[in-house]
Amino acid sequence: MTKPTFINKEKLCKIVQKYPTPFHLYDEKGIRAKARALNSAFAWNKGFKEYFAVKATPNPHIMKILMEEGCGFDCSSYTELLLSQPLVSSGEQIMFSSNQTPDEDFLLAHKLGAVINLDDFTHIEVLEKLLEDKGGLPKNISFRYNPGGEFRLKSTDTEIMDTPGDAKYGFTKEQLFEGYKLLKQKGCEKFGIHAFLASNTKTNEYYPTLARILFETVVEIREKTGVSLSYVNLSGGVGVAYKPDEIPNDIYAIGEGVRKAYEEVLASAGMGDVAIYTELGRFILAEHGCLVTRAIREKHIYKEYVGVDACAANLMRPAIYGAYHHITVAGKEKESLTHKYDIAGGLCENNDKFAVDRMLPQIKVGTSDGDLLIIHDTGAHGHAMGYNYNGKLRSAELLLLENPNEDSEGVWVKLIRRAETPDDYFATLP
């Protein structure tokens, strides 16, 4: 099966005249459309806000687009906080969710006015001591909840199973009760809850199921502690269709499912003013980015290999997870899939493969005239997970402009991160 691309061979050939492969390319039009669909699907909730997970695509140019579409930012480190700071007008546009958190990270989050989402009960005391001479604990604070045990969801689309009890994150329910009571005693005034139970779910039922669990917990917290929560953060976990035969999630069906649970649980309990937050990095960005690489070598041994100029240092998901990323040979979208290839990078690791036994059209190789391969759905957790093993250098990031003008370098793209050079690699050596 084929999968549509947001860039064609004609434009790619013009882009590579200026920017050599490999590079990550993002589609501004698609990013904006996805953010607008998310906001529309949850427009029924007056306080709704998407806090884009910065870890997915930590590029300020991408983040600025999302900020313009009404998004805030979910940060998990000191550097991500620094990245977000110049883009926001208010600290509460940043949600800081981290674990095993260094003191300096907590201090910067507080300085910026970010909403701190504590991962552990012991962090209450840690944060209080850090802020003793800075006005004390923040008035607005959130806890991450871990319900423990197994989370299993059977649906018509798929079966999801994860084991929150084995995860390193979050408070137990009893710790939640104790924590909210303690913070209320200490003068905190606004409270939230956050949970993440499964990754890359491919069913419209995950978010509504998670929401119902959290909404029921919110009602129980009020009954047992007297604390009324102001917001529920559903975090991430809504996935994308990496394979062409998969049915993509319907964000409007998801939003409606959450609304139904909200009305049945929270609104019926007199808590119809609770805001809903999300942190959907993959859902917003993955499908609107791709890795463009050139086929430069071929190898004929026990299998047929095509070697490309990208490697796992540019996209590590296939190597470490066995993750599927669809591959299109630019300009050969309508040709028959006649050849079985392993598509391999040049790292000294045998798992450095973007595809194994993949049926594709016949691929021409060459360092300057080899076919251009489009590796789909790398807009989230693609460039962000890059590294320098084997001395490999991270690639450039380019943005395909929605409304190009005369200043857009003539090829509809904007350079939003240059490729690394050997000087960058050696820059940190004393």
Side-chain angles (χ1 to χ4, degrees):
M1 295 181 66
T2 60
K3 195 170 189 182
T5 61
F6 58 81
I7 187 74
N8 59 35
K9 182 180 179 180
E10 180 185 2
K11 287 187 177 181
L12 272 184
C13 287
K14 291 185 178 180
I15 292 171
V16 300
Q17 290 176 11
K18 181 163 187 174
Y19 301 106
T21 55
F23 53 78
H24 283 269
L25 179 66
Y26 306 97
D27 177 29
E28 180 184 0
K29 181 178 180 180
I31 294 168
R32 289 188 185 276
K34 188 63 68 70
R36 291 170 187 174
L38 173 62
N39 285 324
S40 176
F42 283 87
W44 55 266
N45 182 262
K46 291 182 179 179
F48 174 75
K49 192 168 188 67
E50 157 65 14
Y51 287 86
F52 173 71
V54 174
K55 65 183 178 183
T57 317
N59 187 296
H61 297 271
I62 300 294
M63 294 166 64
K64 183 175 184 293
I65 290 171
L66 293 171
M67 181 200 67
E68 292 170 354
E69 298 298 336
C71 300
F73 304 116
D74 165 52
C75 299
S76 58
S77 71
Y78 190 95
T79 308
E80 289 181 357
L81 287 167
L82 291 178
L83 193 59
S84 302
Q85 179 184 6
L87 296 172
V88 301
S89 58
S90 165
E92 289 201 350
Q93 292 177 291
I94 300 174
M95 181 74 64
F96 182 62
S97 301
S98 63
N99 67 95
Q100 323 309 329
T101 309
D103 290 354
E104 57 267 26
D105 293 34
F106 273 140
L107 288 170
L108 179 58
H110 179 70
K111 179 181 177 181
L112 299 181
V115 179
I116 296 176
N117 180 36
L118 291 179
D119 182 65
D120 187 73
F121 185 85
T122 62
H123 293 177
I124 297 173
E125 182 180 2
V126 169
L127 189 61
E128 185 174 34
K129 287 183 178 180
L130 285 172
L131 302 180
E132 276 181 336
D133 60 346
K134 295 176 174 59
L137 289 166
K139 298 299 182 183
N140 181 2
I141 201 158
S142 176
F143 291 156
R144 181 166 182 168
Y145 174 44
N146 183 335
E150 288 188 351
F151 173 74
R152 188 178 294 271
L153 172 62
K154 292 185 178 182
S155 73
T156 55
D157 303 311
T158 187
E159 180 174 348
I160 297 170
M161 198 280 284
D162 214 332
T163 53
D166 291 337
K168 65 177 181 176
Y169 307 106
F171 288 55
T172 68
K173 184 177 284 190
E174 292 305 316
Q175 288 174 335
L176 283 182
F177 297 152
E178 187 176 352
Y180 287 122
K181 286 190 292 186
L182 181 61
L183 287 186
K184 187 175 182 180
Q185 292 169 7
K186 292 180 179 294
C188 297
E189 299 172 353
K190 187 176 180 180
F191 304 94
I193 190 171
H194 168 289
F196 178 90
L197 299 185
S199 179
N200 194 34
T201 62
K202 298 168 186 176
T203 168
N204 297 331
E205 297 175 35
Y206 167 66
Y207 244 19
T209 301
L210 170 63
R212 188 174 293 273
I213 291 170
L214 290 179
F215 297 161
E216 290 173 349
T217 304
V218 167
V219 173
E220 189 176 0
I221 288 167
R222 186 183 65 174
E223 292 172 350
K224 294 188 175 180
T225 70
V227 173
S228 294
L229 272 62
S230 298
Y231 52 92
V232 171
N233 189 334
L234 301 177
S235 68
V238 176
V240 299
Y242 285 100
K243 296 181 179 180
D245 58 348
E246 292 176 337
I247 300 173
N249 283 323
D250 181 345
I251 196 60
Y252 289 97
I254 291 170
E256 177 59 21
V258 174
R259 186 200 63 77
K260 182 179 178 182
Y262 188 98
E263 293 294 329
E264 292 176 355
V265 180
L266 287 181
S268 65
M271 302 181 73
D273 58 348
V274 175
I276 303 298
Y277 300 159
T278 58
E279 297 171 352
L280 293 174
R282 186 196 311 267
F283 177 77
I284 292 179
L285 253 296
E287 295 173 308
H288 306 298
C290 63
L291 174 61
V292 180
T293 182
R294 189 181 294 278
I296 59 172
R297 300 286 184 243
E298 57 188 339
K299 187 177 178 71
H300 315 284
I301 49 172
Y302 306 106
K303 304 180 77 171
E304 294 295 306
Y305 291 91
V306 167
V308 296
D309 57 7
C311 66
N314 305 109
L315 176 66
M316 67 156 54
R317 296 186 72 252
I320 63 171
Y321 303 134
Y324 180 95
H325 282 265
H326 198 67
I327 296 176
T328 294
V329 183
K332 296 183 177 180
E333 292 85 351
K334 296 182 179 180
E335 292 190 13
S336 299
L337 309 180
T338 54
H339 288 62
K340 183 187 291 186
Y341 295 115
D342 280 16
I343 307 297
L347 285 187
C348 295
E349 295 287 342
N350 196 48
N351 66 351
D352 182 19
K353 297 177 181 179
F354 295 112
V356 175
D357 294 334
R358 187 75 60 86
M359 296 303 299
L360 292 164
Q362 184 172 10
I363 295 174
K364 177 184 177 182
V365 302
T367 54
S368 61
D369 62 349
D371 280 329
L372 295 171
L373 273 56
I374 299 169
I375 303 178
H376 292 246
D377 305 322
T378 69
H381 310 292
H383 189 281
M385 296 176 73
Y387 55 100
N388 290 125
Y389 181 58
N390 267 183
K392 295 293 185 179
L393 303 173
R394 283 182 284 261
S395 63
E397 291 181 290
L398 307 176
L399 179 65
L400 184 67
L401 300 172
E402 181 177 22
N403 297 302
N405 53 46
E406 293 180 359
D407 299 324
S408 63
E409 301 169 344
V411 287
W412 315 281
V413 294
K414 177 181 180 181
L415 179 68
I416 59 173
R417 191 190 302 272
R418 67 166 175 80
E420 289 182 338
T421 68
D423 287 342
D424 296 318
Y425 184 81
F426 293 111
T428 55
L429 295 174

